[in-house]
Amino acid sequence: MSIFTDDTVKQLFFYKGDTEITGYVIPGSYKIQDYICTGQLNFGETNTAKVQFKTSEDLSLTGNYITVRYGTNENNVQIGKYKINYSSHKTNSTVVTVTGYDAVKQFNKDISEWYNALTWPIRVSDFRKSLCEYIGVGQERATLVNDDFQIEETIAPSKLSGIEMLFYIGQINGVFPHATTNYTLDWVSLGTDIYEIPKNITYGPQAYESKSYTTASIGGVVIRQEDGDVGVSFGTTNKYVVQGNILVYGCSADELSVVANRLYEKIKDIRYIPCSIKTKYMPDISLGTRCAYDGNVFYVLQRETSGILFDTLTAGGNEYLESDDSIESEIEQLRGKSNVLKREIEVTKSTISDVEKGLKNEIEQTSERLGVELDALQSQVDGDVKQYNVNYEPTLLNYPAWDFTYNIPCNNTVQLRDDLKFIYKDSYYSKNARS
């Protein structure tokens, strides 16, 4: 029988290093807040677990690591490890409030120096390994769906957050970066096996509250850089949107499609009933666990444990994901007129029609052809300008131009004619500053 579900009396044990400090911890003062997702389903969301408890005197815990165990004197397990960030106490009181955080807190630092020193391209698996080594936090063994995707250098940051980078990695892999009870980093997937929560461990008749709907299954994936960007999109309804992720900036449609398809296969079957339930403390349920209570299935996305040893397990979420506002095909119609803008990642096609007048104008552009047309336009502009080569650098002595171009026609003024351009050894002067 599990030590978490039998009827033996259990308690929390606290250690500073190898030294037990349980006797100094005020009973009932222990509280922990731990989340992988705080609202709408958002893969990659990165949260730090916060632990608080009170001690009867100042134990100088700030800067030290605290281990918490649960069970009996003979049989207990580690349920958390935290670094204490600060301790505080009120005037004329010896009671000290201690606050600490899990390993994810270590990533809350600037990593731009690390990022700028990487050798590119780099696989996602090597990328996250290197990041954890730079931060100094161990990483649990895990294989992510896009681990073999090759990341290119897409930015040159002067400041970049490690927490933000964890989010980018988790987002394109359908997982949540989260600390383990051993102060290492793990990549949490939403579970597939169901953990049945018995009714006899809940607290009170109102222990379970739920929404009246089950979240809709994810029906597609969109990957784009920003609102209005094309990116790639497939599926029909309730699409999951990956936006502004620097790991996939500048990728081709084919590359994005591979990432999107893998992500979709990972998350497509996820659906649950948003709810909240108060139960007896159950450390064997972890964040991401798929649970069932009275036939209702949900994922543990948030967890708060109080000092009297009960859990509040929560799964937030709307029935549908936020709408996809990308512009794959925009149509405006008014009195028989239409303006259709159809965009794919490498092609933009605009069709403007006026049915009443029988007019139709169609423009299609690609990045390659647009560049050629711009070059041609510049050549045309430059071609209309007469050029006169001289062997002088422009100085106050030979400027304006009539000081050395007396035989070149001007407009009987001190201004250069609009159709003139003078080219020097290494540069040229143009009245209209065309280059």
Side-chain angles (χ1 to χ4, degrees):
M1 180 178 291
S2 169
I3 67 168
F4 306 127
T5 56
D6 62 30
D7 293 329
T8 59
V9 177
K10 305 170 191 68
Q11 69 175 92
L12 296 173
F13 299 89
F14 296 80
Y15 295 85
K16 174 186 176 182
D18 296 327
T19 303
E20 184 176 355
I21 58 171
T22 306
Y24 297 96
V25 177
I26 297 176
S29 66
Y30 176 80
K31 182 178 181 180
I32 183 170
Q33 297 172 316
D34 200 5
Y35 316 127
I36 57 172
C37 188
T38 54
Q40 178 71 18
L41 195 60
N42 184 26
F43 294 103
E45 184 175 328
T46 308
N47 297 285
T48 299
K50 177 183 177 181
V51 64
Q52 276 191 332
F53 57 90
K54 295 179 179 180
T55 59
S56 56
E57 60 182 78
D58 190 350
L59 302 177
S60 300
L61 298 179
T62 301
N64 290 278
Y65 292 92
I66 294 297
T67 301
V68 183
R69 301 184 69 86
Y70 174 76
T72 65
N73 286 319
E74 298 77 22
N75 190 9
N76 57 74
V77 294
Q78 183 166 313
I79 62 171
K81 183 176 181 179
Y82 310 93
K83 184 177 182 180
I84 304 304
N85 283 56
Y86 54 89
S87 304
S88 62
H89 62 86
K90 296 180 180 180
T91 305
N92 300 324
S93 174
T94 60
V95 175
V96 178
T97 300
V98 179
T99 303
Y101 299 92
D102 66 11
V104 171
K105 184 75 169 179
Q106 299 293 88
F107 289 84
N108 189 25
K109 62 183 293 187
D110 180 26
I111 60 167
S112 58
E113 181 179 355
W114 163 80
Y115 182 91
N116 291 325
L118 288 173
T119 301
W120 307 92
I122 183 172
R123 286 161 46 101
V124 169
S125 57
D126 296 328
F127 185 79
R128 57 189 179 91
K129 177 183 177 183
S130 176
L131 173 60
C132 289
E133 289 174 347
Y134 177 78
I135 296 296
V137 172
Q139 181 183 208
E140 295 298 306
R141 181 176 298 178
T143 300
L144 308 184
V145 293
N146 280 306
D147 254 352
D148 63 351
F149 175 69
Q150 294 276 355
I151 306 170
E152 298 286 351
E153 184 177 15
T154 57
I155 58 173
S158 58
K159 189 173 183 181
L160 183 63
S161 167
I163 295 286
E164 185 178 4
M165 191 57 68
L166 290 180
F167 168 74
Y168 292 142
I169 297 170
Q171 187 184 46
I172 64 171
N173 286 286
V175 295
F176 300 93
H178 190 259
T180 69
T181 59
N182 294 316
Y183 210 78
T184 58
L185 182 72
D186 199 6
W187 303 91
V188 176
S189 297
L190 295 185
T192 54
D193 297 332
I194 294 181
Y195 184 104
E196 292 282 351
I197 298 178
K199 290 185 178 181
N200 63 354
I201 66 169
T202 59
Y203 276 82
Q206 303 299 320
Y208 177 78
E209 297 179 350
S210 67
K211 298 293 185 181
S212 59
Y213 55 82
T214 298
T215 61
S217 296
I218 296 172
V221 169
V222 177
I223 300 182
R224 66 189 183 211
Q225 186 165 327
E226 59 188 12
D227 283 339
D229 179 35
V230 182
V232 296
S233 174
F234 68 90
T236 53
T237 59
N238 202 38
K239 298 179 184 178
Y240 184 77
V241 178
V242 174
Q243 178 171 305
N245 191 309
I246 65 173
L247 302 185
V248 291
Y249 277 2
C251 291
S252 68
D254 289 342
E255 290 171 325
L256 289 181
S257 294
V258 171
V259 173
N261 273 284
R262 290 173 174 174
L263 176 59
Y264 175 67
E265 290 299 318
K266 171 78 174 176
I267 66 178
K268 66 179 181 179
D269 295 326
I270 293 172
R271 60 199 309 263
Y272 59 95
I273 297 178
C275 65
S276 177
I277 184 171
K278 293 183 179 180
T279 72
K280 185 178 180 180
Y281 183 48
M282 296 184 296
D284 48 344
I285 291 181
S286 58
L287 289 173
T289 299
R290 190 182 183 203
C291 294
Y293 178 76
D294 199 21
N296 300 311
V297 177
F298 65 95
Y299 295 95
V300 179
L301 304 180
Q302 304 174 38
R303 179 185 203 158
E304 293 189 7
T305 304
S306 75
I308 58 174
L309 294 182
F310 72 82
D311 278 332
T312 300
L313 309 177
T314 305
N318 300 323
E319 185 173 3
Y320 296 96
L321 300 174
E322 294 180 4
S323 61
D324 170 25
D325 296 324
S326 67
I327 309 173
E328 293 171 83
S329 181
E330 293 181 346
I331 301 178
E332 295 181 4
Q333 286 192 305
L334 179 64
R335 294 183 60 203
K337 298 178 181 180
S338 70
N339 184 340
V340 180
L341 176 62
K342 186 171 181 63
R343 301 197 289 185
E344 299 173 3
I345 194 167
E346 282 131 359
V347 179
T348 296
K349 183 176 183 179
S350 177
T351 304
I352 304 173
S353 303
D354 190 329
V355 177
E356 293 177 338
K357 296 182 180 179
L359 300 176
K360 182 178 181 180
N361 183 28
E362 187 170 278
I363 301 173
E364 181 176 326
Q365 68 184 43
T366 66
S367 58
E368 179 180 357
R369 205 172 88 193
L370 181 60
V372 171
E373 290 175 354
L374 288 175
D375 289 342
L377 178 61
Q378 182 63 52
S379 299
Q380 181 180 349
V381 171
D382 289 342
D384 290 340
V385 179
K386 297 178 182 179
Q387 298 183 6
Y388 296 87
N389 295 321
V390 295
N391 292 322
Y392 307 100
E393 294 290 340
T395 68
L396 291 176
L397 295 178
N398 62 29
Y399 177 89
W402 68 80
D403 282 346
F404 63 95
T405 58
Y406 61 90
N407 61 334
I408 298 176
C410 293
N411 291 336
N412 297 320
T413 68
V414 296
Q415 300 293 324
L416 287 173
R417 281 175 39 172
D418 287 346
D419 61 347
L420 297 181
K421 182 167 69 173
F422 292 88
I423 298 179
Y424 299 89
K425 291 178 181 178
D426 300 313
S427 58
Y428 64 81
Y429 164 80
S430 171
K431 176 174 182 279
N432 292 323
R434 291 191 174 93
S435 59

